[in-house]
Every structure is written in C-alpha cells, then in structure tokens.
Amino acid sequence: MSLRIDGRTRLAGILGYPVEHSLSPAMHNAAFLALGLNCAYVPLSVHPEQLGAAVAGLAPLGFIGANVTIPHKEAVTACLDEISAEALAIGAVNTIVIRDERLSGYNTDAVGFMAPLSDLGLRAADLHALVLGAGGAARAVVYGLARAGAAVTIVNRNPDRAASLVDVLREHLPAARLASGPLTPEGIGAVLQDVDLVVNTTALGMTPHENASPWPNGVPFPRRAVAYELIYTPAETRWLAMARSAGARTLNGLPMLVQQGAESFTLWTGQPAPVSIMLEAVSNGRRA
Ligand code: NAP
C-alpha cells in the first residue's frame, strides 16, 4: 500500500542542509500510512541563507509542521512565533507545529533520549550519568537527565565548553546536580566508579569513521554501567563494542531517533505514534 496524495493531503517535512540521507521521511510516511492519515512527509533541502523564507512559506503552503535538523536547529528559533520552555533550555528547535498560521517551536530530543531508559529498567532519578561531549545533542541529553533528577557529569575535549553547558542549564534547572571536566583518563577516572550510565554524544565512531572512539585508551569500561550511544550508523560503534566486551549492557541511537520522531508525530496529529512501525521503517531505511 502507498500514500494517497490528493487535493486534501497535508504536508510535513524536514528542513536541513543536507537532508538526502535523513531516515525521517521513511519513518513518518510509514506512520501516516499506518494510521490512514492523508498526510505526506518530504525532505526539504534549505540553504542557510534561505531558512527564513522557507519557514515563512510553511503556513501558506498548508504544512501541519516540520522537523528541523543540522544546521538550522538554533537559527530557526528566530523565525518562530513562540518557543517551548524545553526548546528554550536546550537552545534548539527540532520540531515546528503550525496551528492557525502560528509557528510554535519544540524540542523532542530530550524526551526521545529518555524514553528508552525505562525500557532498560533504569530510573532516571537514581542515576549518576557520565556524558561524553558538550555539543548540541549533549545539551538535550543533559537537560533530559537533569530534569528527571539524575546527577550528571559532562566531560568534553574542550572542558570550558562542558563548564559553559553546566552554567547554561543551571539557569533553567537551578536544582540540577551537574559537574564538568575534561575528556581525559583523569577526567573520566574521577567519576567512573560511581556511574550507572555513560552516554556518547560525540560523533566519534560514526560512518565513515568507524575506527574512531571517544574513550581514552587504557581506561576499562565499568561493566555495571549501561553504555548509551547516540550514533545509529553503524549499529555498533567501536566504543559500544568495547563496552559490550567489558560486560556492559549497550544501547544505540536508533530508539532515540524513533522516540523523538514519535513525539513530533503526536504534536502534529494529536494521535499516539505507531512506534514499532516507525522503528521498522528506519531499520529498513538504514539497511537500504
Ligand atoms: P556537535 O554540536 O558538533 O558536538 C560535537 C561534540 O563532539 C563536541 O562535544 C566536540 O567536542 C566533540 N568532538 C568532536 N570531535 C572530537 C574529537 N576528535 N575528540 C573528542 N571530542 C570530539 O554535534 P551534535 O549535534 O551534538 O551531534 C553529536 C552526535 O549525536 C552526532 O553523531 C549525531 O548524529 C548524534 N545525534 C543522534 C540523535 C539520535 O536521535 N540518535 C539525535 C541528535 C544527535 P569539542 O567541544 O571539544 O569540539
């Protein structure tokens, strides 16, 4: 069965540059089809100079909403009528919802990141998490963890950036238990005995650089901790394989991709997302 496209079809899409390899069109179109919704989701390759014009065109073109990806997640905030408190704290919008020609910005990455943790039987409030990296993805991850009550230590190649992330997030979550340090054997070693969860938010190890790893040589991975990798291509990075060999439970970034998409889908349609169908669509898309 394929999507019906007719005079009543409503559109959603993903604004990025580039967007050719995005798995989101396959994921959302499978969901629209499964629920019998007359909607279609299209990739929208938008040069940064054209972002304002492209976003301004969404409502007149009848879009119900859009996802936003690299490099537009921060810049798009200036093009919207309102921004959720969560997106404001994360400093980026990955979902636009359009109602009555008003454009509202949300960020579903924190919810998407947190959802798979409960499937692993982890209670966020009890966790001490070590987060590798302090970029855009880290900000959503740390916000999600800290809001749920976890203690979080952020380590980054540039430790000043990790310290700035702590400062920014404390403005939004004053009671958060946050610390920072360098991504070095010493920086990691200082907390390793206490951590229950280690998250890689750097892009090290992503295809085509499969040999790269964020983990310093000679530091054993703690087998009692869960290793959570945000990368989903390859399915198992060198770092995740190292953690698995050490006896740790592991999780890659595919469930997060699906869960952040599911949250966007519900914001647009008001309906629960068919998560297993979306997971199957991205799994097939990655193999294609
Ligand atoms: P970003 O803002 O560019 O941040 C990159 C991070 O990687 C920074 O902390 C940077 O450290 C660090 N880094 C880069 N090169 C390094 C190196 N050679 N050694 C040590 N650290 C290095 O990127 P992002 O937007 O956060 O995305 C990061 C990853 O998350 C990507 O792989 C992306 O695909 C993934 N992601 C996955 C999902 C999902 O749904 N699964 C969602 C969002 C993002 P410095 O500050 O020192 O440069």
Side-chain angles (χ1 to χ4, degrees):
M1 220 173 30
S2 60
L3 279 176
R4 183 181 72 208
I5 307 273
D6 60 25
R8 292 204 169 88
T9 304
R10 303 295 309 277
L11 288 175
I14 180 160
L15 298 152
Y17 195 77
V19 281
E20 286 81 0
H21 300 294
S22 172
L23 296 173
S24 293
M27 175 166 72
H28 285 290
N29 284 324
F32 289 143
L33 191 59
L35 267 58
L37 298 175
N38 190 352
C39 298
Y41 186 106
V42 289
L44 300 165
S45 176
V46 176
H47 189 277
E49 284 176 13
Q50 300 292 333
L51 181 64
V55 173
L58 292 173
L61 288 169
F63 275 66
I64 55 174
N67 284 127
V68 186
T69 189
I70 292 166
H72 302 318
K73 282 181 168 191
E74 286 92 17
V76 78
T77 54
C79 311
L80 305 173
D81 297 308
E82 59 199 10
I83 297 174
S84 73
E86 191 168 9
L88 217 51
I90 296 169
V93 161
N94 79 338
T95 304
I96 302 172
V97 177
I98 303 169
R99 284 186 209 102
D100 303 326
E101 306 217 347
R102 278 186 73 75
L103 277 67
S104 308
Y106 296 84
N107 191 306
T108 65
D109 279 337
V111 171
F113 169 77
M114 295 299 289
L117 291 181
S118 47
D119 297 340
L120 291 174
L122 300 177
R123 226 178 72 89
D126 302 333
L127 294 177
H128 181 183
L130 173 64
V131 173
L132 315 177
R139 189 158 162 177
V141 164
V142 177
Y143 178 79
L145 286 166
R147 187 178 54 178
V152 188
T153 302
I154 309 161
V155 290
N156 196 44
R157 176 176 61 176
N158 174 354
D160 292 344
R161 199 172 174 197
S164 303
L165 184 50
V166 168
D167 291 343
V168 168
L169 287 177
R170 276 222 182 95
E171 286 172 24
H172 297 273
L173 298 169
R177 295 181 287 153
L178 301 173
S180 69
L183 206 178
T184 58
E186 297 73 29
I188 290 181
V191 293
L192 209 52
Q193 292 315 311
D194 298 329
V195 299
D196 321 282
L197 173 70
V198 185
V199 187
N200 177 33
T201 74
T202 77
L204 295 178
M206 188 159 75
T207 304
H209 304 292
E210 281 98 344
N211 278 330
S213 165
W215 200 252
N217 285 331
V219 178
F221 192 87
R223 65 181 302 275
R224 60 177 283 275
V226 171
Y228 190 160
E229 168 71 88
L230 259 53
I231 295 168
Y232 46 83
T233 316
E236 186 178 67
T237 59
R238 201 178 134 204
W239 176 70
L240 219 51
M242 180 272 297
R244 185 170 52 78
S245 310
R249 288 192 292 164
T250 63
L251 178 68
N252 75 15
L254 208 58
M256 172 179 172
L257 176 75
V258 172
Q259 292 289 349
Q260 62 77 30
E263 186 75 6
S264 301
F265 183 92
T266 299
L267 284 169
W268 297 325
T269 64
Q271 301 201 31
V275 172
S276 55
I277 284 166
M278 295 167 83
L279 180 61
E280 190 187 337
V282 291
S283 303
N284 292 340
R286 199 180 46 176
R287 278 194 290 274

